[in-house]
Amino acid sequence: MVRRPKIVVEPPGPKAREIIARDEAVLSRSLTRTAPLVGVGAEGVWVRDIDGNEFLDFGSGIAVTNVGHMHPRVVETVKREVERLIFVNSFDFHTVPQVNLAERLVRITPGSFRKRVFFVNSGTEAVECAIKASRYRTGRYYTVAFINSFHGRTMGSLALTSTSTTARRRFQPMMPGVVHAPYPYCYRCPLGHREGPPDCGFACLSYLEDQILGHVAPPDEVSAIVFEPIQGAGGYVVPPGEWVRGLRRIADEHGIPLIADEVQSGMGRTGRWCAVEHFGVVPDGVTLSKAIAAGFPFGAFVGRADLLEWEPGAHENTLGGNPVLASVALTVLDVIEEERLMENAERVGSHMMGRLRDMASEHEVVGDVRGKGLMIGVEFVRDRETREPAPRVKSEVIRRAFKRGLILLGAGRSSLRLAPPLVITEEEADVGLDILEEVIGEVEGDLLS
Ligand SMILES: Cc1ncc(COP(=O)(O)O)c(C=O)c1O
């Protein structure tokens, strides 16, 4: 029989409330906190809270637990490797797992050219490395990024991030030289084209070429074009392939490194190692983090060898490439390959998309469903015709689903990002989708009638 969420006490239960009260007194107020979950245990697609409730996880901690929570092989690797070697500073010295992992990442990332790898502890640092490597290599000043993109919160990557002004307000000056071009969020075209591609003529691409590179940032002074192959925090927005291929063409014409930020979309989530592969484009470098070490702080920038042929001392870190975590990452790669999780992501993802599209035809509030593999966005609207965003519908759906044992995460102004662990079965996906559908029906009735 298929497992279902188990709610023994309405969350947050008494034990959760106590921890949350203490948490609120000492932790930074900048943390968003989607739901009052105090996690104490997890396995596969299930998360248990401190009061004994069991939740089905449709978020994977934002695309982190791709191999499932507490995968036994990950747990075994950690136990084995901490008994062997916890740390050798990997910029002064060498370790075996770091080399093994770098060789492996070079093979699985797009492009058959020679590559090099730099290991980091988070997504933002992977992006920082990409920015610095591109600037060092080209000696150029500008960085091109895109509206509604998320690349991190440190001063370099934050300069690229433009999902919301909340993330940016009061932090200027950030890294200078960043120019933002429109991203093809075709459901809400930033240039106001309602007709969508190809009828819009890919106006966002011409805007980049004619306006940004023609008037603001001379292309021979651009060090990198950094983009998300599928926008993550911005709402799981899938661009048209022509746009991604257009970026490649522009980058080639002007000798600009093209960097795909795969921190959220990578590691098999979309049915490919990197989401950019769906568009038949080979970037000059990719950033990886989140799912790479199953929840441990780790990440990498993998780029064309020449991007990382910089002077010793030009860029280093203390904890990057930790041998235990590099071993975990190797296990994650094995699990994704051996358990055929990319195939599963495609199969279950297309089943979910089918059901979500049916929901869209039944429920007026579901304005758009989009995605690749198990990276699926569901956008709510107050009105199908005007496409007015419905942020309250989003937050109410998340809140009510949580009460019923389904973890959902929001993205963008009024979208859900559905990103269950890649080990999810079709039956488990249906359990979550049944709850989602029920909740959407209720919220639609309560908020919009
Ligand atoms: C595409 C992308 N890049 C970079 C980051 C930053 O990663 P981190 O939060 O690990 O610094 C994120 C995080 O959500 C992301 O989605």
Side-chain angles (χ1 to χ4, degrees):
M1 220 180 64
V2 60
R3 185 171 165 184
R4 290 176 192 285
K6 194 171 95 189
I7 298 298
V8 292
V9 48
E10 184 180 336
K15 292 183 182 157
R17 285 201 302 273
E18 191 203 317
I19 296 292
I20 291 168
R22 287 170 51 202
D23 174 311
E24 284 178 350
V26 290
L27 277 138
S28 164
R29 300 300 279 172
S30 58
L31 306 169
T32 312
R33 275 29 198 308
T34 295
L37 174 84
V38 179
V40 293
E43 78 273 329
V45 295
W46 300 94
V47 175
R48 202 169 57 258
D49 83 355
I50 193 167
D51 293 287
N53 295 314
E54 290 171 11
F55 298 85
L56 176 57
D57 186 2
F58 262 20
S60 306
I62 313 192
V64 169
T65 53
N66 285 12
V67 296
H69 291 274
M70 307 281 289
H71 193 289
R73 288 178 63 186
V74 168
V75 175
E76 184 202 310
T77 301
V78 174
K79 288 182 175 163
R80 186 188 66 233
E81 295 301 320
V82 291
E83 297 278 347
R84 201 196 306 263
L85 172 69
I86 290 181
F87 183 71
V88 163
N89 171 331
S90 56
F91 70 80
D92 280 320
F93 312 112
H94 308 264
T95 68
V96 180
Q98 180 169 242
V99 178
N100 287 341
L101 180 60
E103 287 174 351
R104 200 76 184 271
L105 291 178
V106 159
R107 279 203 300 277
I108 64 159
T109 47
S112 50
F113 40 76
R114 265 197 73 221
K115 297 176 202 149
R116 291 182 180 275
V117 181
F118 184 87
F119 288 116
V120 296
N121 312 288
S122 64
T124 196
E125 286 170 80
V127 174
E128 295 289 341
C129 176
I131 296 169
K132 284 181 72 178
S134 304
R135 286 184 68 162
Y136 190 98
R137 168 76 189 136
T138 60
R140 299 176 179 179
Y141 171 77
Y142 288 104
T143 307
V144 170
F146 297 91
I147 304 281
N148 195 41
S149 296
F150 191 89
H151 297 289
R153 309 162 178 93
T154 48
M155 288 306 207
S157 68
L158 178 60
L160 274 54
T161 289
S162 59
T163 33
S164 77
T165 47
T166 310
R168 296 173 60 88
R169 184 175 287 120
R170 300 170 73 155
F171 296 127
Q172 290 289 4
M174 302 163 198
M175 181 184 81
V178 178
V179 285
H180 286 92
Y183 190 91
Y185 185 172
C186 302
Y187 187 67
R188 298 193 180 287
C189 174
L191 298 174
H193 290 274
R194 175 113 186 180
E195 64 272 32
D199 297 341
C200 62
F202 299 100
C204 48
L205 210 52
S206 339
Y207 190 96
L208 169 60
E209 276 197 287
D210 303 341
Q211 308 303 321
I212 304 269
L213 301 180
H215 291 269
V216 183
D220 57 329
E221 290 187 9
V222 174
S223 66
I225 298 175
V226 183
F227 75 107
E228 289 172 281
I230 297 178
Q231 281 188 331
Y236 279 22
V237 179
V238 184
E242 286 83 348
W243 178 80
V244 185
R245 292 187 283 279
L247 294 185
R248 182 68 272 177
R249 174 184 56 74
I250 294 168
D252 284 342
E253 276 172 24
H254 303 288
I256 305 170
L258 180 66
I259 308 296
D261 183 352
E262 298 271 2
V263 165
Q264 190 157 169
S265 56
M267 300 305 299
R269 171 136 306 274
T270 66
R272 305 279 190 281
W273 284 117
C274 290
V276 71
E277 295 169 53
H278 288 281
F279 308 111
V281 164
V282 176
D284 300 294
V286 298
T287 54
L288 298 168
S289 186
K290 289 198 188 285
I292 192 171
F296 290 102
F298 202 71
F301 173 60
V302 186
R304 258 182 201 282
D306 61 277
L307 277 175
L308 291 167
E309 265 147 25
W310 36 4
E311 203 183 346
H315 191 60
E316 303 178 281
N317 58 19
T318 305
L319 300 177
N322 173 283
V324 176
L325 303 193
S327 299
V328 169
L330 283 161
T331 299
V332 165
L333 297 178
D334 287 343
V335 169
I336 292 175
E337 272 173 1
E338 289 165 27
E339 296 187 9
R340 307 182 77 79
L341 295 187
M342 290 189 271
E343 288 89 330
N344 196 56
E346 285 213 300
R347 190 172 47 248
V348 181
S350 81
H351 171 73
M352 287 181 70
M353 288 280 277
R355 277 206 58 188
L356 290 161
R357 292 213 160 110
D358 290 346
M359 280 184 219
S361 59
E362 299 266 311
H363 299 280
E364 279 283 303
V365 285
V366 180
D368 194 30
V369 174
R370 57 206 174 220
K372 297 258 182 224
L374 285 171
M375 185 167 189
I376 303 175
V378 177
E379 177 145 0
F380 297 117
V381 288
R382 287 186 62 83
D383 180 306
R384 274 274 169 85
E385 200 37 47
T386 64
R387 299 186 181 174
E388 184 190 343
R392 273 199 65 210
V393 171
K394 172 185 85 168
S395 51
E396 209 33 41
V397 165
I398 292 173
R399 197 183 70 79
R400 294 192 198 190
F402 178 71
K403 298 267 180 212
R404 274 162 231 206
L406 175 66
I407 297 175
L408 296 175
L409 299 175
R413 243 182 109 191
S414 62
S415 300
L416 296 177
R417 51 177 133 192
L418 305 186
L422 309 185
V423 292
I424 195 166
T425 63
E426 224 169 86
E427 292 72 28
E428 289 165 334
D430 278 333
V431 168
L433 290 170
D434 289 345
I435 298 175
L436 178 61
E437 184 158 22
E438 202 176 280
V439 167
I440 289 176
E442 280 179 24
V443 172
E444 184 169 53
D446 291 355
L447 293 191
L448 298 185
S449 52

